[in-house]
């Protein structure tokens, strides 16, 4: 039998079909890996670094502190549809859930997390309704589908038998919502705030109805405070009632003529460790709202002034004039029986920027600014030394170029008057003026070793025999003094006090004084305002266009118009220069690089060409 | 020479070759010049009028932030990256140098990676110049958060990598430069537009589309100053997918 040698099979070139199949298979597998990898990464890779200065995209230390304070199990029930047809609402739900899981992940052992779908379970629907959650009606998403669907999204937190409901969770502030709700659950009771001085609401005055509508109430700040605390006026202090024990902080807002016994009650409240916020704005000196008829007595020399003076707190009668931090506001002037509207940059209305606020104190840290109007400066510590055991820290101050001006008999809206006033002031000494300060420590009582002042006794009942002796320097306390009360006022249509700074500062103060610094940390997580330079204003300032004149002569009007045009032209030129200079510089760099690159390439090529030529 | 070094041998020479040819032609300079002028101009004057909440321009908004400029990046890059990469393979084919390229004793992957690195470098150079020139302007005008700018540039680098790999793949499968550009712009434009479809699509599909869009991954975090690991994974996977597809497309021709 003849054996034939075995020839090896020829190496086969892979067929085009096989190649295509392999390529498609590889691509398909890779696509699958990419999708799965992406899904897994989005679900399980939560690591991220927030490089931004505002730190708005990372869980704040304040939230961590609140979560750390939880001692028992905290139940979190998320009421949400498992499937939502509306894409936008579905994404909102997904974002809320992702943020919630991130927060719960801080201490997963303390949370009982439940997800309930009221659209599928009647029991979940009943629970949601009991918690006063309402579904949102949305058009059914998807192409060609009609009708509406009920979309549920709400959160109920339970802790030690108490519940807090977040009925409308918002992705952009969800962390603050959850942390605030947890904080409320952890608090034993609501904070008590006592209010002395300016009433909550000012009754309209028939003679001055137009002005009254402009004038302040404190309803906005009262609303903000009442969300955090019980707030009530304190009646009966003059007749001998003490400040109730459930009051933690007293706000004295533009206090008028207080009876000595009222002042004594406030002093004893501070001696017991109560916190006091005093917003001194003598009504006689408040040009924004002349109330001389309401409070005829000067603050200076009053029992309250004496009490504060004994603690090293003295407020000057003059106003702070600050050209650097002045505020634009609308003025209404009666001209020929008609109200004329103008705008002035008022140096008596000061918007204190962050550099005028104490950044090392929690209430003012992170605030974009606070507007003060016709503020009185606090005496410097050299002139009004604090008693032993009391420390003073400035909270807000003017710019270095602020002057002190006497009280004018009326509100100055005439720019020429403002100009001449400023010229006169420049003969005086410019300097930084303290607008608010915190006093901390053991406050001595002026009534120490004496008898308490007699209360008002309109009914002739006589004085109580078992009245305790006045306390003095017993408990540490804090007193915060402002030389202005306008920073607390409601926003006005003239453009002043529209900044949120005042409201946030007041709430921050309450939280700080009642040791709730966690909440201050939460609130300060607002994006910082980063305004651009105002070239027009700078140029107008440079050309002496201080403010719009509401009484211009024809020549003045023409001159102001000419200067205004010039300022705008200069500002536009500055804008273009600012925009074009960096871009043109970048282009010049690229052009130089290109020229250099191609020049070198040509130089390299030339010798090679020459040598090539020789060889040929 | 280790196995890994051998596998990547030729990457840098190819990248250098691509960059050299780019810098020797006026196309790159014109593209960079236009980008450096157009992107800041849109940011300064137009704002970002796309989507549910249009964003104002710099002067109108009055805030020292580059967020509007970063919003424009995914859309502009969807047009510019295909323009820069359209010739990467299509031009080789037209000039007849592709055959020569594929006969080099290097892996196809190395050639692909070299071309990718060159395109990525060029794109990043362009983006960095445009972003930094606008940042210098804004920094002069106000208190700009430079950390956000740095994070945005890092995110832009990820975005450019993903875009470049996809555009190069489409250049590899196209016979003409113009076709490569149109295909690239269409594909990247579709990826950019995915979040706009969220409102008209049902919940599940909306979530999937949003997760698949590079716009979301860039604007949701890096443009705001946040570097997220899951975004990095997304862009790495997208880039890898584009590069592997590109390699396979070139390999297929090598076997023809």
């Amino acid at each position: 039998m003849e054996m034939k040698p075995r020839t090896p099979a020829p190496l086969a070139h892979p067929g085009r079909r096989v190649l295509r199949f392999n390529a498609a298979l590889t691509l398909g597998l890779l696509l699958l890996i990419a999708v799965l990898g992406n899904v897994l990464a989005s679900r399980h890779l939560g690591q991220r670094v927030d490089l931004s200065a505002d730190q708005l995209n990372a869980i704040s230390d304040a939230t961590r502190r609140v979560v750390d304070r939880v001692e028992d199990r905290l139940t979190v029930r998320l009421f949400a549809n498992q499937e939502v047809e509306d894409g936008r609402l579905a994404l909102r739900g997904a974002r809320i859930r992702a943020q919630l899981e991130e927060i719960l992940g801080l201490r997963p052992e303390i949370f009982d997390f439940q997800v309930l779908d009221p659209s599928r379970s009647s029991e979940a629907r009943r629970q949601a309704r009991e918690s006063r959650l309402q579904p949102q009606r949305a058009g059914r998403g998807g192409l060609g589908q009609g009708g509406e669907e009920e979309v549920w999204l709400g959160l109920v937190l339970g802790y030690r038998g108490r519940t807090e409901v977040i009925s409308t969770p918002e992705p952009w502030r969800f962390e603050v919502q959850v942390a605030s709700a947890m904080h409320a659950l952890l608090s034993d009771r609501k904070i008590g705030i006592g209010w002395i001085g300016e009433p909550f609401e000012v009754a309209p005055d028939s003679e001055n109805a137009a002005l009254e509508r402009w004038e302040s109430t404190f309803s906005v700040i009262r609303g903000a405070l009442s969300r955090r605390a019980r707030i009530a006026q304190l009646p009966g202090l003059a007749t001998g009632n003490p400040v109730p024990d459930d009051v933690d902080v007293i706000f004295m807002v533009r206090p008028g003529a207080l009876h000595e016994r009222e002042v004594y009650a406030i002093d004893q409240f501070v001696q017991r460790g109560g916190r006091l916020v005093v917003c001194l704005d003598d009504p006689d000196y408040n040009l924004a709202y002349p109330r001389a008829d309401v409070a005829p007595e000067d603050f200076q020399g009053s029992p309250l002034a004496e009490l504060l003076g004994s603690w090293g707190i003295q407020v000057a009668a003059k106003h702070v004039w600050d050209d650097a931090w002045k505020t634009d506001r609308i003025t209404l002037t009666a001209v020929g029986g008609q109200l004329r509207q103008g705008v002035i940059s008022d140096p008596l209305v000061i918007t204190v920027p962050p550099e005028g606020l104490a950044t090392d104190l929690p209430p003012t840290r992170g605030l974009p600014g606070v507007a003060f109007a016709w503020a009185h400066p606090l005496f410097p510590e050299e002139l009004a030394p604090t008693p032993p055991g009391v420390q003073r820290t400035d909270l807000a101050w003017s710019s270095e170029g602020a002057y002190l001006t006497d009280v004018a008999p009326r509100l100055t809206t005439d720019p020429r008057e403002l100009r001449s006033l400023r010229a006169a002031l420049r003969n005086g000494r410019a300097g930084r003026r303290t607008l608010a300060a915190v006093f901390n420590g053991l406050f001595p009582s002026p009534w120490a070793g004496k008898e308490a002042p007699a209360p008002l006794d309109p009914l002739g009942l006589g004085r109580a025999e078992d009245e305790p002796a006045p306390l003095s320097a017993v408990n540490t306390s804090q007193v915060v003094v402002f030389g202005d009360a306008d920073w607390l006022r409601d926003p006005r249509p003239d453009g002043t006090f529209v900044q949120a700074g005042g409201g946030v500062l007041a709430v921050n103060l309450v939280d700080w004084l009642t040791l709730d610094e966690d909440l201050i940390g939460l609130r300060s997580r607002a994006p910082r305002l980063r305004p651009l330079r105002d070239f027009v204003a700078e140029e107008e300032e440079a050309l002496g266009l201080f403010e719009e004149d509401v009484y211009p002569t024809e020549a003045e009007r023409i001159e102001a118009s000419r200067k205004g045009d010039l300022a705008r032209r200069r500002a536009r030129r500055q804008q273009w220069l600012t925009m074009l200079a960096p871009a043109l510089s970048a282009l010049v760099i690229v052009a130089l690089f290109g020229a250099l690159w191609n020049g070198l390439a040509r130089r390299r090529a030339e010798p090679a060409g020459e040598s090539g030529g020789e060889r040929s | 020479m280790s196995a890994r070094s051998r596998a990547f041998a030729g990457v840098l020479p190819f990248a250098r070759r691509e960059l050299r040819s780019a810098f020797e032609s006026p196309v790159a300079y014109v593209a960079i010049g236009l980008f450096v002028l157009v992107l800041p101009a849109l940011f300064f004057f137009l704002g970002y009028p796309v989507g549910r909440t249009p964003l104002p321009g710099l002067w109108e908004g009055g805030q020292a932030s580059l967020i509007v400029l970063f919003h424009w990046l995914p859309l502009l890059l969807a047009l510019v990256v295909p323009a820069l990469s359209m010739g990467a393979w299509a031009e080789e084919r037209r000039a007849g140098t592709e055959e020569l390229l594929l006969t080099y004793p290097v892996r196809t992957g190395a050639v692909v990676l070299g071309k990718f690195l060159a395109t990525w470098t060029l794109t990043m150079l362009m983006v960095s110049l445009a972003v930094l020139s606008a940042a210098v302007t804004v920094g002069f005008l106000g208190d700009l958060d430079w950390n956000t700018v740095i994070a945005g540039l890092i995110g832009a680098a990820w975005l450019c990598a993903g875009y470049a790999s996809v555009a190069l793949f489409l250049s590899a499968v196209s016979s003409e430069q113009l076709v490569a550009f149109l295909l690239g712009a269409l594909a990247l434009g579709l990826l950019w537009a995915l979040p706009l479809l969220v409102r008209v699509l049902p919940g599940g599909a909306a979530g999937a589309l949003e997760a698949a869009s590079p716009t979301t991954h860039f604007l949701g975090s890096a443009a705001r100053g946040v570097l997220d690991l899951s975004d990095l994974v997304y862009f790495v996977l997208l880039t890898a997918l584009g590069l592997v597809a590109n390699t396979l497309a070139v390999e297929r021709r090598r076997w023809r």
Side-chain angles (χ1 to χ4, degrees):
Chain A
M1 196 176 166
E2 194 180 343
M3 296 282 285
K4 285 186 178 172
R6 284 179 66 187
T7 51
L11 277 172
H13 185 289
R16 189 175 286 182
R17 189 174 292 174
V18 175
L19 273 175
R20 268 194 197 152
F21 176 74
N22 284 346
L25 188 68
T26 313
L27 263 184
L29 280 173
L30 209 70
L31 193 64
L32 193 67
I33 290 169
V35 171
L36 282 177
N38 197 20
V39 170
L40 287 174
S42 62
R43 285 194 184 161
H44 301 291
L45 291 179
Q47 290 89 339
R48 60 170 188 243
V49 195
D50 187 356
L51 297 179
S52 67
D54 293 339
Q55 289 287 301
L56 297 177
N57 302 291
I59 290 185
S60 71
D61 290 340
T63 303
R64 289 175 196 276
R65 281 199 298 274
V66 171
V67 172
D68 282 345
R69 281 173 47 202
V70 178
E71 292 170 350
D72 281 346
R73 304 288 294 178
L74 198 152
T75 310
V76 179
R77 284 181 293 160
L78 174 66
F79 292 89
N81 301 41
Q82 277 184 9
E83 284 177 14
V84 179
E85 301 240 351
D86 183 291
R88 192 171 47 88
L89 291 178
L91 286 177
R92 195 183 81 165
R95 286 190 187 125
I96 291 289
R97 187 161 177 168
Q99 288 189 55
L100 181 62
E101 284 172 357
E102 197 179 346
I103 294 169
L104 302 187
L106 292 174
R107 284 180 72 194
E109 70 280 4
I110 58 161
F111 293 109
D112 284 327
F113 181 42
Q114 303 162 18
V115 183
L116 305 165
D117 184 353
S119 68
R120 292 190 174 181
S121 151
S122 56
E123 175 58 19
R125 179 181 284 262
R126 189 187 61 76
Q127 287 185 29
R129 296 267 189 220
E130 270 181 6
S131 303
R132 299 174 179 239
L133 294 178
Q134 292 293 332
Q136 188 176 344
R137 297 198 173 275
R140 284 187 187 277
L143 302 171
Q145 294 182 40
E148 278 193 334
E149 63 173 338
E150 282 189 345
V151 181
W152 292 83
L153 188 61
L155 213 63
V156 180
L157 288 84
Y159 185 69
R160 290 180 175 171
R162 294 159 61 190
T163 55
E164 282 285 327
V165 179
I166 302 173
S167 54
T168 47
E170 300 285 356
W172 57 275
R173 60 182 186 115
F174 182 65
E175 186 196 333
V176 176
Q177 287 180 306
V178 172
S180 302
M182 281 187 196
H183 186 274
L185 287 174
L186 295 172
S187 305
D188 293 331
R189 66 174 181 86
K190 266 197 162 183
I191 295 161
I193 295 177
W195 186 279
I196 294 175
E198 191 81 5
F200 287 158
E201 308 284 350
V202 177
D205 176 359
S206 55
E207 288 178 12
N208 243 338
L211 261 181
E212 286 288 359
R213 275 197 297 278
W214 269 57
E215 278 316 319
S216 63
T217 70
F218 293 85
S219 57
V220 173
I221 188 64
R222 185 184 57 179
L225 290 174
S226 63
R227 277 192 286 278
R228 290 273 301 112
R230 286 174 296 98
I231 180 165
Q233 289 182 292
L234 298 174
L237 298 184
T239 54
N241 288 340
V243 176
D245 286 340
D246 60 355
V247 171
D248 301 281
V249 182
I250 288 181
F251 262 82
M252 296 183 73
V253 180
R254 206 180 286 161
L258 294 182
H259 188 266
E260 190 182 7
R261 181 68 190 205
E262 283 179 286
V263 177
Y264 171 72
I266 293 161
D267 167 63
Q268 291 302 294
F269 168 75
V270 172
Q271 303 304 334
R272 295 201 305 270
R275 269 54 174 163
L276 182 63
V277 179
V278 189
C279 305
L280 290 174
D281 204 1
D282 191 323
D284 274 357
Y285 297 149
N286 191 339
L287 300 177
Y289 187 50
R291 289 168 51 86
D293 55 328
V294 178
E297 191 175 319
D298 265 356
F299 167 73
Q300 314 293 334
S302 69
L304 179 61
E306 280 179 21
L307 172 70
L308 296 179
S310 71
W311 294 340
I313 302 167
Q314 285 194 54
V315 178
K318 291 191 172 188
H319 290 295
V320 179
W321 175 295
D322 195 336
D323 282 320
W325 294 344
K326 64 188 178 223
T327 307
D328 286 347
R329 64 183 187 85
I330 299 166
T331 57
L332 287 178
T333 315
V335 178
Q338 284 190 332
L339 283 179
R340 273 186 64 180
Q341 188 170 305
V343 177
I344 61 166
S345 295
D346 193 336
L348 290 169
V349 180
I350 308 163
T351 300
V352 176
E355 53 262 43
L357 301 169
T359 50
D360 52 342
L361 289 178
T364 40
R365 190 185 302 145
L367 279 184
V370 183
F372 295 95
W374 301 275
H376 306 272
L378 272 65
F379 273 43
E381 203 166 355
E382 308 87 77
L383 299 178
T386 52
V390 176
Q391 292 85 41
R392 165 178 165 159
T393 313
D394 287 354
L395 194 67
W397 50 86
S398 70
S399 74
E400 294 288 346
Y403 297 95
L404 293 182
T405 175
D406 286 322
V407 180
R410 63 179 176 82
L411 174 65
T412 305
T413 56
D414 183 355
R416 283 170 296 191
E417 200 173 328
L418 280 170
R419 271 200 295 272
S420 60
L421 261 172
R422 186 171 56 163
L425 285 172
R426 282 186 173 167
N427 296 323
R429 191 175 62 85
R432 198 182 96 164
R433 317 289 177 184
T434 303
L435 304 174
V438 179
F439 297 81
N440 183 46
L442 291 167
F443 292 86
S445 170
W447 289 276
K450 297 181 195 167
E451 200 174 317
L456 277 177
D457 190 9
L459 301 177
L461 298 174
R463 193 166 178 164
E465 287 178 4
D466 56 346
E467 192 167 17
L471 301 171
S472 179
V474 179
N475 294 303
T476 305
S477 183
Q478 279 168 307
V479 176
V480 186
V481 181
F482 289 82
D484 178 42
D486 296 305
W487 63 277
L488 276 172
R489 292 196 325 189
D490 297 347
R492 285 168 38 132
D494 67 352
T496 46
F497 318 116
V498 289
Q499 292 204 355
V504 176
L505 174 58
V507 179
N508 278 356
L509 271 175
V510 170
D511 288 337
W512 182 53
L513 295 174
T514 54
L515 306 176
D516 267 347
E517 290 186 32
D518 292 343
L519 287 179
I520 298 173
L522 282 175
R523 257 193 304 282
S524 61
R525 278 162 63 76
R528 227 184 87 194
L529 292 176
R530 297 168 186 275
L532 299 180
R533 276 176 68 178
D534 188 345
F535 286 129
V536 178
E538 283 176 15
E539 292 298 332
E540 283 181 348
E541 186 86 41
L543 289 170
L545 280 172
F546 178 52
E547 62 272 315
E548 191 184 318
D549 198 334
V550 291
Y551 304 109
T553 61
E554 188 57 24
E556 277 178 338
R557 199 183 57 74
I558 292 168
E559 178 63 8
S561 168
R562 191 191 64 78
K563 281 184 176 176
D565 287 344
L566 183 62
R568 276 188 290 279
R569 268 203 308 277
R570 282 187 186 174
R572 212 170 301 131
R573 200 162 53 227
Q574 285 251 48
Q575 280 187 346
W576 277 105
L577 192 67
T578 314
M579 286 187 290
L580 285 178
L584 291 179
S585 305
L587 291 182
V588 168
I589 290 169
V590 171
L592 283 176
F593 171 78
L596 202 66
W597 178 284
N598 285 295
L600 285 175
R602 208 163 293 144
R603 196 171 292 174
R604 272 197 304 268
E606 274 167 10
E610 283 165 15
S611 60
E614 281 166 14
R615 271 202 300 275
S616 65
Chain B
M1 194 184 246
S2 69
R4 188 182 297 173
S5 324
R6 272 197 304 277
F8 288 99
V11 172
L12 288 182
F14 273 110
R16 270 199 295 269
R17 169 183 173 271
E18 291 292 319
L19 274 178
R20 202 178 301 133
S21 67
F23 285 128
E24 281 168 10
S25 84
V27 177
Y29 298 103
V30 172
I32 290 174
L34 280 177
F35 199 79
V36 168
L37 289 177
V38 170
L39 180 64
L42 291 170
F43 163 54
F44 291 140
F45 300 112
L46 185 62
Y48 187 73
V50 185
R52 273 195 308 129
T53 46
L55 300 171
L58 178 76
W59 298 113
E60 197 188 338
Q63 291 293 310
S65 159
L66 290 192
I67 189 73
V68 177
L69 180 123
F70 285 132
H71 268 75
W72 274 110
L73 265 188
L75 178 58
L76 282 193
L77 287 176
L79 298 172
V80 172
V81 173
L84 287 176
S85 62
M86 63 187 178
W89 290 106
E91 179 60 19
E92 299 268 12
R93 207 165 306 136
R94 193 194 61 77
T97 51
E98 189 188 37
E99 314 266 319
L100 183 67
L101 198 66
L102 297 177
T103 57
Y104 285 166
V106 287
R107 287 167 179 259
T108 312
V111 184
V112 168
L113 211 53
K115 282 182 180 288
F116 163 76
L117 277 182
T119 310
W120 190 25
T121 308
L122 198 61
T123 317
M124 270 317 290
L125 178 72
M126 190 175 66
V127 170
S128 305
L129 280 172
V131 170
L132 288 176
S133 72
V136 167
T137 299
V138 178
F140 176 74
L141 290 170
D143 179 20
L144 177 66
D145 179 5
W146 282 93
N147 285 352
T148 314
V149 179
I150 293 165
L153 277 175
I154 293 172
W158 301 350
L159 181 73
C160 287
Y163 273 18
S165 73
V166 172
L168 279 171
F169 161 63
L170 293 169
S171 171
V173 295
S174 311
S175 50
E176 297 278 340
Q177 283 200 41
L178 184 63
V179 178
F181 170 73
L182 290 177
L183 276 180
L186 188 69
L188 295 180
L190 273 177
L191 281 176
W192 167 81
L194 288 180
L196 299 179
L197 303 174
V198 159
R199 278 176 74 81
V200 295
L201 286 174
L209 278 192
E210 200 185 52
S213 168
T215 315
T216 313
H217 286 277
F218 174 65
L219 294 181
S221 43
R224 297 174 192 282
V226 180
L227 297 179
D228 196 320
L229 189 58
S230 62
D231 293 332
L232 177 61
V233 169
Y234 167 84
F235 283 114
V236 166
L237 288 172
L238 179 68
T239 309
L241 190 66
L243 291 177
V244 171
N246 194 343
T247 310
L248 288 174
V250 177
E251 280 284 344
R252 198 168 65 98
R253 269 203 302 280
R254 182 179 253 185
W255 285 105
R256 265 182 196 167

